[in-house]
């Protein structure tokens, strides 16, 4: 049995669904950040799989995946810094208790 494009796409869809569920269902801000990372990795798997099976002579999927990884690293650094600051001020990372943007 060979691994085809559909296998990678199913894996990507499952990972994206797990990440989306985590973002929508969890209340801990750190867990939400980790679930966003899972969703970005699912997108990377789909990008690389499409690049490998649809246009194998170009590396566009891999380049986009590297770009997504750079954006994810920056997002994680900024997100963790924001969460640490909120935790120091409020002593909680529960997103239901964050009402900083409300009037």
């Amino acid at each position: 049995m060979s691994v085809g494009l559909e296998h990678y796409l199913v894996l990507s869809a499952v990972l994206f669904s797990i990440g989306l569920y985590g973002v929508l269902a969890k209340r801990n801000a750190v867990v939400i950040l980790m679930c966003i990372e899972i969703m970005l990795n699912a997108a990377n798997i789909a990008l690389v799989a499409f690049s490998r099976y649809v246009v194998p002579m170009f590396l566009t999927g891999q380049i986009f995946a590297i770009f997504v990884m750079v954006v994810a690293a920056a997002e994680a650094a900024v997100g963790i810094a924001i969460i640490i600051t909120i935790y120091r001020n409020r002593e909680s990372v529960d997103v239901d208790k964050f009402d900083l943007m409300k009037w």
Side-chain angles (χ1 to χ4, degrees):
M1 180 178 145
S2 65
V3 178
L5 177 62
E6 59 273 0
H7 295 99
Y8 289 109
L9 294 181
V10 168
L11 173 67
S12 175
V14 168
L15 284 176
F16 192 86
S17 300
I18 291 170
L20 184 63
Y21 172 75
V23 167
L24 295 176
K26 299 297 179 181
R27 299 183 193 279
N28 190 331
V30 176
V31 174
I32 291 173
L33 275 179
M34 292 187 325
C35 290
I36 291 172
E37 296 293 327
I38 290 173
M39 293 169 62
L40 291 173
N41 283 328
N44 282 341
I45 290 171
L47 286 171
V48 172
F50 273 119
S51 176
R52 167 71 173 85
Y53 287 99
V54 176
V55 188
M57 48 266 176
F58 300 118
L59 298 175
T60 52
Q62 286 85 351
I63 292 171
F64 277 122
I66 290 171
F67 181 74
V68 169
M69 283 190 255
V70 169
V71 170
E75 171 260 335
V78 172
I80 290 294
I82 290 171
I83 290 171
I84 289 173
T85 303
I86 290 174
Y87 180 75
R88 286 183 179 168
N89 291 332
R90 305 251 174 155
E91 296 183 359
S92 174
V93 290
D94 189 2
V95 292
D96 288 338
K97 295 180 181 175
F98 298 163
D99 57 354
L100 301 174
M101 299 295 283
K102 290 184 179 177
W103 294 66

